[in-house]
Amino acid sequence: MPQAYIIDAVRTPRGIGKQGAGEKRGGALAAMHPQHLAATVMKAIAQRNHLDTATVDDVIWSVSTQDGMQAGDMGRMAALDAGYDIAASGTTLDRFCGGGITSVNLAAAQVMSGMESCIVAGGTEMMSLTAAMARDKMQAGIKPPMMGAYNERLQRVHPQSHQGICGDAIASMEGFTREDLDAVGYRSQQRAAAAIAEGRFDKSIIPVVDDDGNVLLDHDEYPRPETTMEGLAALEPAFTRIADVPLDASGTTFRGLVNQKYPDLEISNFHHAGNSSGVVDGAAAVLVTSAEYARQHGLKPRARIVATANMGDDPTLMLNAPVPAAKKVLEKAGLKLEDIDLFEINEAFAVVAAKFVRDLGLSWDKVNVNGGSIALGHPIGATGSMLIGTVIDELERRGGRYGLVTMCAAGGMAPAIIVERVEDFAD
């Protein structure tokens, strides 16, 4: 079977996302079109690798909220916007938060099957848009997706709540304390600050420029290096109010949806802005090729894709699939936990990372060593591709061999991938 190699990985900086009017108007990227962000990283990965885009077999792109300006096939449209040859086809997928890993995993599968030789994978999410679209729909009286008439039967079998409420439910069920989760947030900020100060992200970050070439953003906007444990302890829980707001005429609430399946669970509120992922805008791209293609075009590999996996878990708790996903991908790879040098687990909420480390018996010395989405932000459809690039950069910096990346996704899912740092081809 042919091997799939990662030749390069790039990302935009993460810009603070627009969440509302007034003081929350967002950062440097909030007014950009999402296609522009996607085209930025597609163009960069082509230019950095002197890629003949007429030889790109496909672009596989992840966008979670495919509505408004994010609707349509961004994989194809952004490739054209980036100046790719018209022969380079494109498609767009949605696995909620996990799409950025899935786009790379599907690229690997295509290459390893021998059906394709060169694929640009990645993702984009303008959280500035997704937050506004959700708010506008709620103001128009449109029910949240999980409460639509079509899903009423599904909700009786697999009630699905708000992700923040799910995070609080898991923390309550698993015995994590507010201090435990604040420690995850504090660690994320401290590690991200150190990584930025040492330039650990510089290799991958592509500045975003406007149509006139003016630099709009060349660094991550979201981190708060001044964060302290005392400051985190003073923050009010974020999901207390919405937990009990009626969602329909029957009086169903987000808390009630969890309690439909777990009636004896008393949900306490632990998560807040300081121990939950940040609302940001961004995009990332990963170049995946066969060894034959790379040799023919003078490309050197940075990593080999060892194994990929997908896992489902309880959709009511929603966020618990990363642990079984990690176990599954390790089994596919024929590796053990101790073989992995670095882990990236998306910090959607602090409890996700805390449970991942505890349940797998890991040391934080190997997990999210440059911070995570609590400090840097979580542009949903792009984050997985960003994390793959991050782990490869850090494996190279440390001289490590294997990296494992996974993340929770809505619906109770988790994709996973293991990459091996390489300097030459194995086939």
Short mmCIF file of all heavy atoms in Angstrom, two decimals, residues 5 47 109 157 192 196 199 315 325 330 377 407:
data_model
loop_
_atom_site.label_atom_id
_atom_site.label_comp_id
_atom_site.label_asym_id
_atom_site.label_seq_id
_atom_site.Cartn_x
_atom_site.Cartn_y
_atom_site.Cartn_z
N TYR A 5 2.13 11.11 2.84
CA TYR A 5 3.07 11.99 3.51
C TYR A 5 2.53 13.42 3.60
O TYR A 5 1.88 13.90 2.67
CB TYR A 5 4.41 12.00 2.76
CG TYR A 5 5.12 10.68 2.82
CD1 TYR A 5 4.93 9.72 1.82
CD2 TYR A 5 5.97 10.37 3.88
CE1 TYR A 5 5.58 8.49 1.88
CE2 TYR A 5 6.61 9.15 3.94
CZ TYR A 5 6.41 8.21 2.95
OH TYR A 5 7.04 7.00 3.01
N GLN A 47 2.67 28.21 -2.98
CA GLN A 47 3.87 29.00 -3.23
C GLN A 47 5.08 28.46 -2.47
O GLN A 47 6.18 28.38 -3.03
CB GLN A 47 3.61 30.46 -2.85
CG GLN A 47 2.62 31.16 -3.79
CD GLN A 47 2.34 32.59 -3.36
OE1 GLN A 47 2.61 32.99 -2.23
NE2 GLN A 47 1.78 33.37 -4.28
N ALA A 109 -6.41 8.75 3.03
CA ALA A 109 -7.05 7.55 2.51
C ALA A 109 -7.02 7.51 0.99
O ALA A 109 -6.79 6.45 0.38
CB ALA A 109 -8.49 7.47 3.02
N VAL A 157 -34.62 9.70 21.54
CA VAL A 157 -33.70 8.56 21.66
C VAL A 157 -32.32 9.01 22.13
O VAL A 157 -31.72 8.41 23.03
CB VAL A 157 -33.57 7.84 20.31
CG1 VAL A 157 -32.61 6.65 20.42
CG2 VAL A 157 -34.93 7.37 19.82
N ALA A 192 0.97 28.79 25.78
CA ALA A 192 0.84 29.54 24.53
C ALA A 192 1.72 30.77 24.56
O ALA A 192 2.36 31.12 23.56
CB ALA A 192 -0.63 29.93 24.31
N ILE A 196 4.67 31.50 21.85
CA ILE A 196 4.68 32.71 21.03
C ILE A 196 5.98 33.48 21.23
O ILE A 196 6.61 33.95 20.28
CB ILE A 196 3.45 33.58 21.36
CG1 ILE A 196 2.17 32.87 20.86
CG2 ILE A 196 3.58 34.97 20.73
CD1 ILE A 196 0.89 33.49 21.37
N GLY A 199 8.72 31.92 19.35
CA GLY A 199 8.53 31.81 17.91
C GLY A 199 8.21 30.42 17.41
O GLY A 199 8.47 30.08 16.25
N PRO A 315 -23.98 10.64 22.35
CA PRO A 315 -24.26 11.98 21.83
C PRO A 315 -24.87 12.92 22.87
O PRO A 315 -24.81 14.13 22.69
CB PRO A 315 -25.25 11.72 20.68
CG PRO A 315 -25.82 10.39 20.96
CD PRO A 315 -24.79 9.61 21.69
N ALA A 325 -11.27 7.20 20.82
CA ALA A 325 -10.67 7.45 19.51
C ALA A 325 -9.16 7.28 19.56
O ALA A 325 -8.54 6.71 18.65
CB ALA A 325 -11.02 8.86 19.02
N LEU A 330 -4.41 4.13 18.07
CA LEU A 330 -3.19 3.46 18.53
C LEU A 330 -3.19 1.99 18.14
O LEU A 330 -2.18 1.45 17.69
CB LEU A 330 -3.06 3.60 20.05
CG LEU A 330 -2.57 4.95 20.57
CD1 LEU A 330 -2.85 5.07 22.06
CD2 LEU A 330 -1.09 5.15 20.28
N GLY A 377 -7.80 29.83 20.81
CA GLY A 377 -9.08 29.91 20.12
C GLY A 377 -9.34 28.70 19.25
O GLY A 377 -8.43 27.95 18.89
N MET A 407 -9.87 15.15 18.78
CA MET A 407 -10.73 16.21 19.29
C MET A 407 -12.17 15.74 19.32
O MET A 407 -12.59 14.87 18.54
CB MET A 407 -10.60 17.47 18.43
CG MET A 407 -10.99 17.30 17.00
SD MET A 407 -10.30 18.56 15.90
CE MET A 407 -10.86 20.06 16.70
#
